[in-house]
């Protein structure tokens, strides 16, 4: 049978539209009839579709597998790189502190002021970076709540004032300057809107009270107030700006500590209201120690009107008493009005009008110049001054620098008081230390001239640099200086200053006890007692001044309050303790060196000395051994 014979019979039927079509389907007029595909072909088409589908799946799977492999390889490489870095840091690198990451260095804060150090490099003043608190009142939402919370950290602030500050119309108001780190942290933790911090510099003083009157302090704006901070304010700023390093002072912190300890002990023992101490280099005017008691802490300065703020060493001027007899003797000998073996009659007191000049321990006889010094005769000194005369005495006082304020790098300098007019009674009283007031610094400078060969040297608190020119002025003859040394030695060995002796060291000096002036005249029981001298007198190097204000008698002094019982022994204790520190070797009476603990002295810088108005300069060097200072 042919394929056509197996085809089903065809039936013509009418569709809904009256057109012919196939059973179960609506055909279109004139459409070609659908012929079913043969089975074999349908199988081949299915297989082709299956093969094509299988290819797409395989391609998708291959792509996914490649992506997974790539991702895995990336993580493996990253892990390997991290592992190698860890091995390099933990195993291959040397141990030590963590290193700061490399990058742009942080901006450096420019210091406002240079440091201040002593002659051996010990820090006296430096800068500390601190935070200061300020507010923008416009951004403070609740001033009352902010003030209450802020006072939990800063309880010293006044609640009412603080609320007023935080409620104002200004956009900037300081709340607290110089916060401590813990205060800054606690304030920041409060989270009060409108409060901010600003970095500032604060001056700190590691030595505290020890050098308060010398160094001074700065205010909240880092401007110098008192001491070197004010006197050299511009210098300290310029040194900081130019990077010239710290300001080196003449102070020796060891000598300063000894002097302050000795003065504090004397003030406590004799119930004095104050004390002053100075150690000066007689050759170049450098001040190794300057103490004024009472003192204060420059890190927390007291009220400016407080007595502790008063620098007795430079600002205070006093009638120094019998120490002026040394200057009177030097002036009379230098002027030629008396010889060293000459003298004056001290038998009877001197009466001038309602005034009477008498001796504390009268000898009632003629006294030589050495005896006038030894017994501290007011009568003999008055007659010696009267022989000198008012004109010449005034001229010598001007030479010694007693008629003008002392020149020193401090703003606190007192003006001396001299009589006007300069009458005979003034001449006599000045001869034994009354009627004229000078500062302790001026008195120490005058003694330096008596010891160093007759030269007036300017006092200074700034250490001389090597090769620096120091201008000196001759005020007395060198021979007179030698004679005064012997006189001062005799006063310590056998006179009123015997308690100033320091075993092993040749000390010379003069005591002075002056009644303080008050309303209606001098106050007999209000005394200023002083010792002024130097050591070692075989080759004078250091001037030492000790002064006590209104010391009281004690059973140990047998009821006396004069300088021989208080200022002199205090000075002797100072010399005994500082001499080894300064490299001064003790000697026996015959001059042979003694064994004892002595720190080697650092060789001083070579200076050029010149006389006032003289063009010639002489380079001098000390004869001390060239060794390093063992203390620092």
């Amino acid at each position: 049978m042919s394929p056509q014979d197996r085809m089903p019979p065809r039936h013509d039927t009418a569709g809904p539209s009256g057109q012919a079509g196939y059973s179960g389907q609506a055909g279109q007029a004139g459409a070609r009839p659908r012929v079913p595909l043969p089975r074999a072909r349908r199988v081949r088409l299915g297989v082709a579709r299956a093969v094509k589908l299988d290819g797409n799946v395989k391609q998708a799977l291959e792509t996914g597998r490649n992506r997974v492999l790539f991702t895995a390889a990336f993580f493996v490489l990253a892990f390997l790189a991290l592992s190698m870095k860890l091995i390099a840091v933990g195993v291959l690198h040397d141990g030590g502190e963590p290193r700061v990451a490399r990058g742009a260095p942080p901006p450096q804060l420019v210091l406002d002021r240079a440091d201040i150090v002593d002659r051996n490099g010990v820090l006296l003043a430096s800068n500390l970076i601190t935070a200061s608190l300020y507010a923008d009142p416009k951004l403070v939402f609740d001033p009352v709540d902010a003030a209450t919370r802020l006072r939990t950290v800063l309880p010293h602030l006044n609640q009412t004032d603080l609320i007023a500050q935080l409620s104002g119309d200004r956009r900037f108001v300081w709340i607290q300057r110089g916060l401590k780190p813990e205060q800054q942290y606690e304030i920041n933790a409060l989270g009060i809107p409108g409060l901010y911090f600003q970095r500032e510099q604060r001056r700190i003083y590691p030595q505290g009270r020890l050098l308060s009157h010398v160094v001074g302090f700065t205010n909240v704006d880092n401007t110098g107030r008192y001491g070197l901070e004010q006197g050299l304010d511009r210098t300290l700023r310029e040194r900081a700006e130019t990077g010239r390093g710290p300001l080196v002072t003449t102070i020796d912190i060891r000598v300063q500590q000894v002097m302050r300890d000795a003065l504090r002990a004397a003030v406590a023992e004799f119930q004095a209201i104050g004390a002053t101490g100075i150690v000066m280099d007689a050759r170049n005017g450098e001040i190794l120690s300057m103490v004024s008691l009472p003192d204060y802490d420059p890190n927390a300065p007291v009220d400016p009107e407080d007595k502790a703020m008063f620098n007795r060493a430079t600002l205070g001027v006093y009638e120094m008493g019998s120490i002026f007899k040394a200057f009177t003797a030097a002036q009379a000998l230098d002027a030629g009005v008396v010889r060293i073996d000459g003298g004056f009659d001290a038998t009877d007191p001197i009466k001038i009008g309602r005034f009477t000049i008498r001796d504390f321990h009268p000898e009632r006889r003629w006294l030589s110049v050495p005896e006038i010094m030894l017994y501290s005769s007011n009568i003999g000194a008055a007659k010696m001054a009267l022989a000198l005369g008012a004109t010449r005495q005034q001229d010598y006082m001007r030479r010694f620098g007693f008629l003008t304020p002392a020149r020193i790098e401090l703003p606190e300098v007192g003006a001396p008081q001299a009589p006007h007019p300069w009458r005979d009674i003034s001449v006599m009283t000045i001869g034994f230390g009354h009627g004229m007031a000078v500062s302790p610094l001026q008195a120490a400078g005058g003694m330096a001239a008596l010891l160093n060969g007759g030269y007036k040297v300017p006092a200074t608190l700034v250490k001389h640099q090597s090769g620096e020119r120091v201008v000196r002025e001759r005020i007395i003859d060198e021979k007179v200086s030698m004679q005064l040394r012997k006189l001062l030695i005799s006063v310590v060995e056998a006179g009123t200053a015997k308690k100033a002796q320091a075993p092993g060291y040749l000390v010379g000096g003069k005591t002075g006890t002056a009644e303080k002036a008050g309303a209606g005249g001098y106050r007999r029981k209000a005394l200023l007692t002083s010792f002024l001298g130097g050591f070692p007198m075989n080759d004078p190097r250091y001037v030492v001044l000790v002064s006590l204000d209104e010391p009281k008698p004690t059973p140990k002094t047998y009821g006396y309050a004069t300088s021989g019982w208080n200022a002199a022994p205090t000075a002797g204790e100072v010399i005994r303790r500082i001499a080894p520190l300064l490299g001064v070797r003790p000697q026996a009476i015959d001059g042979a060196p003694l064994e004892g603990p002595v720190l080697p002295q650092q060789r001083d810088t070579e200076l050029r000395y010149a006389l006032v108005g003289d063009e010639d300069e002489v380079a001098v060097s000390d004869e001390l051994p060239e060794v390093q200072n063992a203390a620092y």
Side-chain angles (χ1 to χ4, degrees):
M1 180 180 296
S2 64
Q4 287 82 1
D5 296 335
R6 291 195 298 267
M7 294 179 63
R10 179 178 176 181
H11 300 280
D12 295 330
T13 58
S17 55
Q19 295 179 342
Y22 295 100
S23 175
Q25 292 186 356
Q28 293 182 356
R32 187 176 180 176
R34 183 177 180 182
V35 179
L37 294 175
R39 180 176 182 83
R41 189 176 179 184
R42 289 199 304 268
V43 172
R44 288 195 302 270
L45 289 175
V47 172
R49 291 193 185 98
V51 170
K52 185 177 180 180
L53 178 62
D54 184 60
N56 292 336
V57 172
K58 287 183 178 181
Q59 185 178 358
L61 292 175
E62 185 67 23
T63 301
R65 187 171 66 86
N66 292 338
R67 290 177 178 174
V68 171
L69 290 176
F70 177 79
T71 303
F74 173 78
F75 279 104
V76 169
L77 292 175
F79 178 76
L80 289 175
L82 181 61
S83 301
M84 292 176 64
K85 184 64 177 178
L86 291 175
I87 293 173
V89 173
V91 178
L92 301 180
H93 265 229
D94 294 334
E97 293 294 330
R99 299 183 179 181
V100 179
R102 295 182 180 179
Q108 296 294 323
L109 184 65
V110 179
L111 297 179
D112 289 342
R113 310 174 71 83
D115 290 348
I116 302 176
V117 300
D118 87 332
R119 64 188 305 113
N120 297 309
V122 179
L123 190 64
L124 307 181
S126 189
N127 303 287
L128 180 67
I129 306 303
T130 62
S132 293
L133 178 66
Y134 69 93
D136 182 349
K138 291 290 186 179
L139 302 180
V140 178
F141 301 141
D142 189 343
V144 176
D145 177 70
T148 303
R149 295 167 62 191
L150 194 55
R151 289 189 71 250
T152 61
V153 181
L154 303 174
H156 64 280
L157 297 180
N158 182 274
Q159 176 85 2
T160 303
D161 294 341
L162 189 55
I163 293 175
Q165 286 181 300
L166 298 177
S167 304
D169 295 330
R170 292 182 296 174
R171 300 303 304 268
F172 179 93
V173 59
W174 283 116
I175 302 299
Q176 180 68 46
R177 309 285 289 273
L179 294 172
K180 298 178 180 178
E182 58 269 23
Q183 291 176 326
Q184 180 186 8
Y185 174 81
E186 294 175 4
I187 293 173
N188 192 53
L190 295 176
I192 302 175
L195 298 185
Y196 304 95
F197 300 101
Q198 179 171 314
R199 289 180 61 187
E200 291 188 308
Q201 296 181 44
R202 177 186 176 186
R203 203 70 161 161
I204 58 171
Y205 305 94
Q207 307 303 328
R209 294 174 174 269
L210 186 57
L211 284 151
S212 55
H213 290 288
V214 174
V215 177
F217 60 92
T218 60
N219 59 15
V220 293
D221 295 317
N222 228 18
T223 301
R225 290 289 180 266
Y226 296 88
L228 291 174
E229 291 280 29
Q230 180 177 348
L232 297 178
D233 184 81
R234 179 180 297 179
T235 300
L236 291 168
R237 294 183 183 276
E238 291 176 351
R239 295 186 74 92
E241 292 174 359
T242 58
R244 293 165 55 194
L247 176 72
V248 182
T249 68
T250 60
I251 295 294
D252 189 321
I253 199 72
R254 305 164 302 172
V255 179
Q256 182 80 358
Q257 185 70 65
V258 170
M259 177 65 80
R260 184 172 184 269
D261 289 346
L263 290 182
R264 290 186 66 197
V267 167
E269 180 179 358
F270 302 109
Q271 302 177 34
I273 64 173
T276 307
I278 294 174
V279 177
M280 175 189 286
D281 191 321
R283 301 181 186 182
N284 55 33
E286 292 184 349
I287 298 173
L288 281 72
S289 172
M290 179 185 288
V291 177
S292 175
L293 296 179
D295 50 26
Y296 61 93
D297 185 357
N299 294 296
V302 296
D303 186 273
E305 300 299 324
D306 195 289
K307 294 180 180 180
M309 302 295 291
F310 187 81
N311 188 349
R312 296 170 177 269
T314 59
L315 186 57
V317 291
Y318 311 95
E319 297 180 30
M320 301 299 292
S322 293
I323 64 173
F324 253 60
K325 291 171 184 173
F327 302 121
T328 299
Q331 294 165 11
L333 291 170
D334 189 70
V337 299
V338 67
R339 294 169 55 89
I340 191 66
D341 55 356
F344 298 89
D345 184 15
T347 303
D348 299 316
I350 301 174
K351 294 184 178 180
I352 300 179
R354 60 188 181 91
F355 300 102
T356 300
I357 299 174
R358 56 173 57 90
D359 288 342
F360 190 69
H361 294 291
E363 292 292 319
R364 301 187 187 282
R365 62 181 176 86
W366 183 91
L367 298 176
S368 65
V369 172
E371 288 178 322
I372 291 173
M373 290 286 290
L374 189 67
Y375 301 127
S376 194
S377 171
N378 294 336
I379 299 172
K383 290 186 175 182
M384 193 186 309
L386 195 59
L388 181 66
T391 302
R392 283 186 293 195
Q393 185 188 58
Q394 190 172 1
D395 179 61
Y396 273 107
M397 291 301 175
R398 183 178 293 106
R399 294 191 204 177
F400 276 95
F402 294 162
L403 300 183
T404 55
R407 298 187 63 181
I408 192 70
E409 297 89 350
L410 301 178
E412 303 88 18
V413 176
Q417 298 177 6
H420 184 74
W422 207 295
R423 298 190 176 96
D424 286 346
I425 182 63
S426 301
V427 172
M428 288 189 284
T429 57
I430 290 174
F432 58 86
H434 281 78
M436 184 177 195
V438 298
S439 68
L441 176 62
Q442 290 175 298
M447 179 57 69
L450 299 185
L451 301 183
N452 66 14
Y455 295 101
K456 177 186 175 183
V457 291
T460 181
L461 283 166
V462 178
K463 193 174 187 300
H464 292 299
Q465 301 299 313
S466 180
E468 185 176 347
R469 185 172 182 263
V470 179
V471 179
R472 305 184 302 181
E473 179 184 0
R474 178 172 289 283
I475 57 178
I476 60 173
D477 188 77
E478 184 176 4
K479 180 182 177 181
V480 174
S481 174
M482 293 291 294
Q483 293 172 335
L484 259 295
R485 294 182 198 174
K486 296 177 181 179
L487 294 180
L488 295 172
I489 292 172
S490 67
V491 173
V492 173
E493 289 183 345
T496 58
K498 287 186 288 187
K499 292 185 180 296
Q501 295 179 14
Y505 304 100
L506 188 59
V507 180
K510 186 70 184 75
T511 54
T513 302
E515 296 175 357
K516 296 174 65 176
Y522 287 97
R523 301 157 56 195
R524 294 185 58 84
K525 293 187 178 182
L527 304 177
L528 182 79
T529 62
S530 305
F531 172 86
L532 178 60
F535 76 99
M537 293 301 286
N538 56 321
D539 184 19
R541 178 66 186 272
Y542 301 105
V543 174
V544 177
L545 179 143
V546 168
S547 182
L548 302 177
D549 194 354
E550 297 189 21
K552 308 299 187 296
T554 68
K556 185 178 177 180
T557 64
Y558 304 98
Y560 289 103
T562 52
S563 56
W565 292 96
N566 44 54
T570 303
E573 174 68 10
V574 170
I575 294 171
R576 183 187 67 81
R577 293 178 59 186
I578 69 174
L581 298 175
L582 297 174
V584 180
R585 185 168 295 279
Q587 294 181 340
I589 296 177
D590 59 1
L594 296 175
E595 295 296 329
V598 177
L599 291 177
Q601 173 68 8
Q602 187 176 24
R603 185 180 180 87
D604 278 0
T605 55
E606 188 174 87
L607 303 177
R608 299 181 299 158
Y609 291 96
L611 291 176
V612 174
D614 193 350
E615 299 298 330
D616 295 333
E617 299 175 4
V618 181
V620 298
S621 300
D622 296 330
E623 298 178 355
L624 298 173
E626 189 172 1
V627 293
Q628 294 299 316
N629 194 313
Y632 294 93

